[in-house]
């Protein structure tokens, strides 16, 4: 059998305030732990998505345009242009 210490007031009555405060404290701790358990994985996913979005936005495209627009005169040389053939389609 487990022996529990019962909190009593000096007049011998049960100390309901003690148990009420303890219940509130345990409830707050449980809510805080549940929030942490859900928030950490969600935060990891959001940070990874933000990094991916920023990376995609900053990568220049093949024609030289990207986050900062055209990079200069050399960018037009990189653009692949289709060969013009006359008479054949």
């Amino acid at each position: 059998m487990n022996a529990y210490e019962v909190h009593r007031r000096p007049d011998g009555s049960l100390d309901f305030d003690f148990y009420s405060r303890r219940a509130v404290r345990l409830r707050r701790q449980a809510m805080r732990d549940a929030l942490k358990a859900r928030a950490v994985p969600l935060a990891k996913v959001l940070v990874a998505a933000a990094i991916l979005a920023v990376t995609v936005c900053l990568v220049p495209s093949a024609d030289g345009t990207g986050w900062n627009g055209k990079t200069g005169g050399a960018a037009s040389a990189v653009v692949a242009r289709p060969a013009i053939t006359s008479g054949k389609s």
Side-chain angles (χ1 to χ4, degrees):
M1 180 171 154
N2 294 333
Y4 294 105
E5 183 178 331
V6 178
H7 287 269
R8 294 189 180 268
R9 294 188 176 140
D11 64 354
S13 63
L14 290 176
D15 189 1
F16 286 107
D17 293 332
F18 169 79
Y19 293 108
S20 176
R21 287 189 306 266
R22 186 172 73 172
V24 168
R25 187 177 66 243
L26 290 173
R27 193 176 304 120
R28 285 181 185 160
Q29 182 181 1
M31 294 295 285
R32 192 171 40 245
D33 292 344
L35 180 63
K36 284 182 186 178
R38 290 182 183 167
V40 171
L42 179 63
K44 287 180 182 180
V45 169
L46 292 176
V47 168
I51 290 172
L52 183 62
V54 168
T55 303
V56 167
C57 288
L58 292 178
V59 172
S61 61
D63 63 352
T65 61
W67 183 256
N68 294 324
K70 289 203 174 210
T71 56
S76 62
V78 177
V79 176
R81 297 188 178 144
I84 300 174
T85 56
S86 59
K88 295 185 178 181
S89 54

